Amino acid sequence: MKTTHLQLKGMSCAACASRIETVVKRIDGVDQCQVNFGAEQATVNYNPQKTNLEQIQQAVSDAGYGAKPLKGMRQSEDETERESRQIERELTRKVAIAGLISIFLMFGGLPMMTGLDIPWIPHWMHNYWLQLVLTTPVMFWCGHQFFTGAWKGLKQRSSDMNTLIAVGTGAAYIYSVFVTLFPQVFTRQGLSADVYYESAVVIITLILLGRLLEHRARGKTSEAIRKLMGLQAKTARVIRSGEEQDIPIDEVQVGDVVVVRPGEKIPVDGEVMEGRSTVDESMVTGESVPVEKHPGDEVIGATINKTGSFKFKAARVGEETVLAQIVQLVQQAQGSKAPIQRLADRVTGWFVPVVIAIAIATFVVWFNITGNLTLAIVTMVGVLIIACPCALGLATPTSVMVGTGLGAENGILIKGADSLELAHKIETLVLDKTGTLTAGKPTVTNYVTTAGTANDAELKLLRLVAAVERQSEHPLAEAIVEYAKSQQVEFPLPNVEDFEAMAGMGVQGRVSDRRIQIGTSAWMEELGMDTQIFETQQQQWETDGQTTAWIAMDGEIEGLLGIADTLKPSSAEAVKALKRMGLEVVMVTGDNQKTAEAIADQVGIDRVFAQVRPDRKSEIVKSLQQEKAKKGKERPVVAMVGDGINDAPALAQADVGIAIGTGTDVAIAAGDITLISGDLKGIVTAIQLSRATMNNIRQNLFFAFIYNTLGIPIAAGVLFPLTHWLLNPIIAGAAMAMSSVSVVTNALRLRRTRLAKH
């Protein structure tokens, strides 16, 4: 079997993705086809002995879409971004033009719709020929995609929202054109020669607006990939022929010796050969404390070298690096998400053919009974107009727009309806530790000295320690300096001489003729110092998940610092609230088991996964999605909450990805919901908002369908002659307008929903 990745063109809705999958799967030799509607890409597994790439492309082309092989990860993303911007510009132009014409036609059509002579509306505004001239470009330029989409569906013997839109607007337009051309046919039969141009134009405008908003939301899915690729170094310094050379990263080969200096990005994955340093691996592990690197240790591409220089041998390059694998994980997780089948889409599967069948039957029955062709056409068009999906197209977008706006006011950014639909069904919530439950930044939590507080001994020693640590770029050093400031230590700090950073051990220097050393207990013992004096405090603090830093002055232990990534004030309360809502809360972290369990105990989390790498995070989410699924029931909805780049694959794999707004842009781009403030209580608010919005959408769908289901038999003349006056299509148009008004009014009611404050 062979796998190929295709860039697709021409998709307008989720139904298009399903259609392409169906077409490609029919090809003999194709094992699987998975279309990612958000990224506009397809992954096809096929047997090259039975079929080939050209046949697959031709099948996609025959279905009315475009497909071409991906040229490369970065190039394809750039090309997709350009095409996406072009589509958005075109949609924006169409919405603007159709919107202006809609407003004009709505005013011009008021006398016809109300049956009143409105003096402030000039007669030329409701001139049928003028309305025809204005409506035609909206139909055949702005609404072009709906008619082509319906045609593609017809060729595949299927129907969707495009079919309903095309049938409804097409019927209104064709009927109105006929009335414009031959008004005497209607007046001769005693019928009102009314047109419905404004109905067709307004429907197309509203649906296009929804497509524009959907397109903008979908564009965010590929943003995560672009930002991930932007983390990669552009060049690498390699040793070839005994000389250092700067070469493009694409030219690095497995086995090359790469040189990395302080502050530089590590270009590819490999193994340290020579030198020592500390490396900021937070983009992979999510942990803020740099990792010590010695000969034999693994280094990861796109992580940042902090202190020393070293040489390493390239082991994985190109698509094999950890960063490239993270990109692939995000793409696969996004592509593997089954599109949520909207109630409206499910209904149109049978609703459209049923409505068309009723309309045809209505025409045949009335023509046979009365022999009146005009009356038969009028009743048929009445059925089609009342079935027009104006309210159906508004039902979900209006609630989503109001719901997401309400969320933004409460510090919650929601990308689209998928997130809102699933959030209220969440059963399991997976929380990252660093930056999510904790502040993501180390701070000094404890400090003791041998001299106690006599003569301000604590502050004097702390001032000397801060002076030395200020020379270091280590996050723990920054934490100590910040702690000194908070304790009102006297500034400016004294000068430091003979400063030296001991990789993996600590720092030292001379301050005011005193030799100050701050570092690990192992280093102090190596220097021959007795660390038993604070052994009890060290064990207790480390059990609580703190990192300890020993302080020595002139060869004697003088103090001990406890440093930890502290919990956010609201974390424990948020976890309790989530558990009260019936959710299982799980913690996943790259930190060690002891620290992870200490943090979990503080917030009340019972289940912990520690020392987890990025690929394992997404695997854990996947296993949680499957482990509770029972026979005959849907699998549980699992949400992931994270803030780091390392969380991006898990955020994408989860049914609902919730990103912390104070974290990285990549996590935010990969998440479905973003908590701007970083307060975990926002999750409770998001679930409440999801419940309120989904109830509102269900009510809207009821309003959207009730007029159709009640109006179709009336428009068809089932109750004739009791309701003969209702046979005029203007009544159908009024019912359609009423359903739209009901939907919009109900959606605006959502704004009064009271949400929990956080």
PDB file of all heavy atoms in Angstrom, residues 327-349:
ATOM      1  N   VAL A 327       3.970  18.468  14.201  1.00  0.00           N
ATOM      2  CA  VAL A 327       3.163  19.035  13.110  1.00  0.00           C
ATOM      3  C   VAL A 327       2.253  17.956  12.521  1.00  0.00           C
ATOM      4  O   VAL A 327       1.057  18.171  12.306  1.00  0.00           O
ATOM      5  CB  VAL A 327       4.062  19.646  12.014  1.00  0.00           C
ATOM      6  CG1 VAL A 327       3.240  20.013  10.786  1.00  0.00           C
ATOM      7  CG2 VAL A 327       4.792  20.873  12.534  1.00  0.00           C
ATOM      8  N   GLN A 328       2.819  16.779  12.268  1.00  0.00           N
ATOM      9  CA  GLN A 328       2.037  15.683  11.696  1.00  0.00           C
ATOM     10  C   GLN A 328       0.926  15.232  12.639  1.00  0.00           C
ATOM     11  O   GLN A 328      -0.189  14.924  12.212  1.00  0.00           O
ATOM     12  CB  GLN A 328       2.954  14.510  11.364  1.00  0.00           C
ATOM     13  CG  GLN A 328       3.886  14.791  10.179  1.00  0.00           C
ATOM     14  CD  GLN A 328       4.961  13.727  10.026  1.00  0.00           C
ATOM     15  OE1 GLN A 328       4.948  12.716  10.722  1.00  0.00           O
ATOM     16  NE2 GLN A 328       5.908  13.965   9.123  1.00  0.00           N
ATOM     17  N   LEU A 329       1.245  15.205  13.956  1.00  0.00           N
ATOM     18  CA  LEU A 329       0.236  14.805  14.936  1.00  0.00           C
ATOM     19  C   LEU A 329      -0.947  15.768  14.933  1.00  0.00           C
ATOM     20  O   LEU A 329      -2.109  15.354  14.995  1.00  0.00           O
ATOM     21  CB  LEU A 329       0.855  14.746  16.338  1.00  0.00           C
ATOM     22  CG  LEU A 329       1.703  13.519  16.662  1.00  0.00           C
ATOM     23  CD1 LEU A 329       2.463  13.728  17.956  1.00  0.00           C
ATOM     24  CD2 LEU A 329       0.819  12.281  16.771  1.00  0.00           C
ATOM     25  N   VAL A 330      -0.640  17.070  14.860  1.00  0.00           N
ATOM     26  CA  VAL A 330      -1.713  18.061  14.825  1.00  0.00           C
ATOM     27  C   VAL A 330      -2.555  17.878  13.567  1.00  0.00           C
ATOM     28  O   VAL A 330      -3.782  17.893  13.611  1.00  0.00           O
ATOM     29  CB  VAL A 330      -1.138  19.495  14.894  1.00  0.00           C
ATOM     30  CG1 VAL A 330      -2.247  20.522  14.729  1.00  0.00           C
ATOM     31  CG2 VAL A 330      -0.421  19.720  16.216  1.00  0.00           C
ATOM     32  N   GLN A 331      -1.887  17.687  12.423  1.00  0.00           N
ATOM     33  CA  GLN A 331      -2.610  17.507  11.160  1.00  0.00           C
ATOM     34  C   GLN A 331      -3.489  16.259  11.192  1.00  0.00           C
ATOM     35  O   GLN A 331      -4.651  16.287  10.783  1.00  0.00           O
ATOM     36  CB  GLN A 331      -1.616  17.411   9.998  1.00  0.00           C
ATOM     37  CG  GLN A 331      -0.971  18.741   9.636  1.00  0.00           C
ATOM     38  CD  GLN A 331       0.046  18.599   8.528  1.00  0.00           C
ATOM     39  OE1 GLN A 331       0.768  17.605   8.460  1.00  0.00           O
ATOM     40  NE2 GLN A 331       0.126  19.589   7.663  1.00  0.00           N
ATOM     41  N   GLN A 332      -2.919  15.153  11.695  1.00  0.00           N
ATOM     42  CA  GLN A 332      -3.676  13.898  11.735  1.00  0.00           C
ATOM     43  C   GLN A 332      -4.867  13.996  12.679  1.00  0.00           C
ATOM     44  O   GLN A 332      -5.964  13.533  12.365  1.00  0.00           O
ATOM     45  CB  GLN A 332      -2.767  12.753  12.166  1.00  0.00           C
ATOM     46  CG  GLN A 332      -1.737  12.378  11.100  1.00  0.00           C
ATOM     47  CD  GLN A 332      -0.671  11.438  11.632  1.00  0.00           C
ATOM     48  OE1 GLN A 332      -0.779  10.928  12.748  1.00  0.00           O
ATOM     49  NE2 GLN A 332       0.375  11.216  10.859  1.00  0.00           N
ATOM     50  N   ALA A 333      -4.644  14.605  13.848  1.00  0.00           N
ATOM     51  CA  ALA A 333      -5.729  14.721  14.818  1.00  0.00           C
ATOM     52  C   ALA A 333      -6.848  15.601  14.277  1.00  0.00           C
ATOM     53  O   ALA A 333      -8.030  15.296  14.444  1.00  0.00           O
ATOM     54  CB  ALA A 333      -5.199  15.294  16.137  1.00  0.00           C
ATOM     55  N   GLN A 334      -6.474  16.696  13.599  1.00  0.00           N
ATOM     56  CA  GLN A 334      -7.489  17.562  13.015  1.00  0.00           C
ATOM     57  C   GLN A 334      -8.247  16.835  11.902  1.00  0.00           C
ATOM     58  O   GLN A 334      -9.460  16.961  11.780  1.00  0.00           O
ATOM     59  CB  GLN A 334      -6.840  18.836  12.443  1.00  0.00           C
ATOM     60  CG  GLN A 334      -6.363  19.791  13.530  1.00  0.00           C
ATOM     61  CD  GLN A 334      -5.674  21.016  12.946  1.00  0.00           C
ATOM     62  OE1 GLN A 334      -5.256  21.017  11.796  1.00  0.00           O
ATOM     63  NE2 GLN A 334      -5.542  22.047  13.749  1.00  0.00           N
ATOM     64  N   GLY A 335      -7.519  16.072  11.109  1.00  0.00           N
ATOM     65  CA  GLY A 335      -8.145  15.365   9.989  1.00  0.00           C
ATOM     66  C   GLY A 335      -9.011  14.207  10.429  1.00  0.00           C
ATOM     67  O   GLY A 335      -9.966  13.841   9.758  1.00  0.00           O
ATOM     68  N   SER A 336      -8.684  13.589  11.583  1.00  0.00           N
ATOM     69  CA  SER A 336      -9.408  12.401  12.026  1.00  0.00           C
ATOM     70  C   SER A 336     -10.710  12.728  12.744  1.00  0.00           C
ATOM     71  O   SER A 336     -11.486  11.848  13.050  1.00  0.00           O
ATOM     72  CB  SER A 336      -8.525  11.557  12.954  1.00  0.00           C
ATOM     73  OG  SER A 336      -8.230  12.276  14.135  1.00  0.00           O
ATOM     74  N   LYS A 337     -10.914  14.014  13.031  1.00  0.00           N
ATOM     75  CA  LYS A 337     -12.158  14.393  13.687  1.00  0.00           C
ATOM     76  C   LYS A 337     -13.333  14.195  12.730  1.00  0.00           C
ATOM     77  O   LYS A 337     -13.375  14.804  11.672  1.00  0.00           O
ATOM     78  CB  LYS A 337     -12.130  15.866  14.120  1.00  0.00           C
ATOM     79  CG  LYS A 337     -11.299  16.151  15.352  1.00  0.00           C
ATOM     80  CD  LYS A 337     -11.399  17.625  15.705  1.00  0.00           C
ATOM     81  CE  LYS A 337     -10.593  17.941  16.947  1.00  0.00           C
ATOM     82  NZ  LYS A 337     -10.645  19.371  17.285  1.00  0.00           N
ATOM     83  N   ALA A 338     -14.293  13.359  13.114  1.00  0.00           N
ATOM     84  CA  ALA A 338     -15.479  13.183  12.277  1.00  0.00           C
ATOM     85  C   ALA A 338     -16.306  14.454  12.316  1.00  0.00           C
ATOM     86  O   ALA A 338     -16.589  14.974  13.388  1.00  0.00           O
ATOM     87  CB  ALA A 338     -16.300  12.017  12.798  1.00  0.00           C
ATOM     88  N   PRO A 339     -16.690  14.988  11.157  1.00  0.00           N
ATOM     89  CA  PRO A 339     -17.509  16.208  11.149  1.00  0.00           C
ATOM     90  C   PRO A 339     -18.819  15.970  11.904  1.00  0.00           C
ATOM     91  O   PRO A 339     -19.477  14.956  11.723  1.00  0.00           O
ATOM     92  CB  PRO A 339     -17.778  16.449   9.659  1.00  0.00           C
ATOM     93  CG  PRO A 339     -16.736  15.670   8.936  1.00  0.00           C
ATOM     94  CD  PRO A 339     -16.396  14.501   9.800  1.00  0.00           C
ATOM     95  N   ILE A 340     -19.171  16.907  12.742  1.00  0.00           N
ATOM     96  CA  ILE A 340     -20.413  16.766  13.503  1.00  0.00           C
ATOM     97  C   ILE A 340     -21.590  16.977  12.559  1.00  0.00           C
ATOM     98  O   ILE A 340     -21.678  17.983  11.881  1.00  0.00           O
ATOM     99  CB  ILE A 340     -20.450  17.789  14.647  1.00  0.00           C
ATOM    100  CG1 ILE A 340     -19.285  17.542  15.584  1.00  0.00           C
ATOM    101  CG2 ILE A 340     -21.750  17.714  15.406  1.00  0.00           C
ATOM    102  CD1 ILE A 340     -19.087  18.617  16.589  1.00  0.00           C
ATOM    103  N   GLN A 341     -22.445  15.999  12.514  1.00  0.00           N
ATOM    104  CA  GLN A 341     -23.568  16.068  11.576  1.00  0.00           C
ATOM    105  C   GLN A 341     -24.647  16.970  12.138  1.00  0.00           C
ATOM    106  O   GLN A 341     -25.310  16.627  13.102  1.00  0.00           O
ATOM    107  CB  GLN A 341     -24.130  14.654  11.344  1.00  0.00           C
ATOM    108  CG  GLN A 341     -25.038  14.552  10.151  1.00  0.00           C
ATOM    109  CD  GLN A 341     -24.283  14.702   8.844  1.00  0.00           C
ATOM    110  OE1 GLN A 341     -23.126  14.334   8.773  1.00  0.00           O
ATOM    111  NE2 GLN A 341     -24.940  15.257   7.848  1.00  0.00           N
ATOM    112  N   ARG A 342     -24.811  18.122  11.550  1.00  0.00           N
ATOM    113  CA  ARG A 342     -25.826  19.070  11.988  1.00  0.00           C
ATOM    114  C   ARG A 342     -27.228  18.481  11.765  1.00  0.00           C
ATOM    115  O   ARG A 342     -27.484  17.773  10.785  1.00  0.00           O
ATOM    116  CB  ARG A 342     -25.732  20.371  11.198  1.00  0.00           C
ATOM    117  CG  ARG A 342     -24.396  21.055  11.314  1.00  0.00           C
ATOM    118  CD  ARG A 342     -24.354  21.873  12.593  1.00  0.00           C
ATOM    119  NE  ARG A 342     -23.113  22.624  12.607  1.00  0.00           N
ATOM    120  CZ  ARG A 342     -21.991  22.163  13.125  1.00  0.00           C
ATOM    121  NH1 ARG A 342     -21.959  20.957  13.635  1.00  0.00           N
ATOM    122  NH2 ARG A 342     -20.910  22.913  13.131  1.00  0.00           N
ATOM    123  N   LEU A 343     -28.118  18.815  12.695  1.00  0.00           N
ATOM    124  CA  LEU A 343     -29.505  18.361  12.538  1.00  0.00           C
ATOM    125  C   LEU A 343     -30.068  18.851  11.212  1.00  0.00           C
ATOM    126  O   LEU A 343     -30.749  18.114  10.492  1.00  0.00           O
ATOM    127  CB  LEU A 343     -30.356  18.881  13.703  1.00  0.00           C
ATOM    128  CG  LEU A 343     -31.859  18.585  13.629  1.00  0.00           C
ATOM    129  CD1 LEU A 343     -32.100  17.082  13.563  1.00  0.00           C
ATOM    130  CD2 LEU A 343     -32.579  19.197  14.820  1.00  0.00           C
ATOM    131  N   ALA A 344     -29.753  20.095  10.857  1.00  0.00           N
ATOM    132  CA  ALA A 344     -30.257  20.654   9.595  1.00  0.00           C
ATOM    133  C   ALA A 344     -29.752  19.858   8.400  1.00  0.00           C
ATOM    134  O   ALA A 344     -30.490  19.607   7.444  1.00  0.00           O
ATOM    135  CB  ALA A 344     -29.838  22.110   9.469  1.00  0.00           C
ATOM    136  N   ASP A 345     -28.470  19.456   8.440  1.00  0.00           N
ATOM    137  CA  ASP A 345     -27.907  18.681   7.330  1.00  0.00           C
ATOM    138  C   ASP A 345     -28.552  17.300   7.238  1.00  0.00           C
ATOM    139  O   ASP A 345     -28.796  16.784   6.152  1.00  0.00           O
ATOM    140  CB  ASP A 345     -26.392  18.543   7.495  1.00  0.00           C
ATOM    141  CG  ASP A 345     -25.675  19.869   7.275  1.00  0.00           C
ATOM    142  OD1 ASP A 345     -26.219  20.707   6.530  1.00  0.00           O
ATOM    143  OD2 ASP A 345     -24.596  20.061   7.845  1.00  0.00           O
ATOM    144  N   ARG A 346     -28.805  16.688   8.406  1.00  0.00           N
ATOM    145  CA  ARG A 346     -29.434  15.361   8.404  1.00  0.00           C
ATOM    146  C   ARG A 346     -30.839  15.440   7.814  1.00  0.00           C
ATOM    147  O   ARG A 346     -31.250  14.594   7.043  1.00  0.00           O
ATOM    148  CB  ARG A 346     -29.492  14.805   9.835  1.00  0.00           C
ATOM    149  CG  ARG A 346     -28.148  14.388  10.389  1.00  0.00           C
ATOM    150  CD  ARG A 346     -28.334  13.436  11.555  1.00  0.00           C
ATOM    151  NE  ARG A 346     -29.028  14.073  12.669  1.00  0.00           N
ATOM    152  CZ  ARG A 346     -28.424  14.699  13.660  1.00  0.00           C
ATOM    153  NH1 ARG A 346     -27.109  14.798  13.657  1.00  0.00           N
ATOM    154  NH2 ARG A 346     -29.110  15.233  14.651  1.00  0.00           N
ATOM    155  N   VAL A 347     -31.548  16.494   8.219  1.00  0.00           N
ATOM    156  CA  VAL A 347     -32.930  16.627   7.753  1.00  0.00           C
ATOM    157  C   VAL A 347     -32.978  16.865   6.250  1.00  0.00           C
ATOM    158  O   VAL A 347     -33.829  16.309   5.547  1.00  0.00           O
ATOM    159  CB  VAL A 347     -33.646  17.767   8.503  1.00  0.00           C
ATOM    160  CG1 VAL A 347     -34.995  18.078   7.864  1.00  0.00           C
ATOM    161  CG2 VAL A 347     -33.841  17.382   9.965  1.00  0.00           C
ATOM    162  N   THR A 348     -32.046  17.681   5.726  1.00  0.00           N
ATOM    163  CA  THR A 348     -32.085  17.982   4.296  1.00  0.00           C
ATOM    164  C   THR A 348     -31.852  16.736   3.451  1.00  0.00           C
ATOM    165  O   THR A 348     -32.212  16.716   2.266  1.00  0.00           O
ATOM    166  CB  THR A 348     -31.033  19.045   3.916  1.00  0.00           C
ATOM    167  OG1 THR A 348     -29.734  18.627   4.374  1.00  0.00           O
ATOM    168  CG2 THR A 348     -31.384  20.392   4.514  1.00  0.00           C
ATOM    169  N   GLY A 349     -31.254  15.699   4.041  1.00  0.00           N
ATOM    170  CA  GLY A 349     -31.049  14.464   3.291  1.00  0.00           C
ATOM    171  C   GLY A 349     -32.361  13.893   2.769  1.00  0.00           C
ATOM    172  O   GLY A 349     -32.411  13.329   1.684  1.00  0.00           O
TER     173      GLY A 349
END
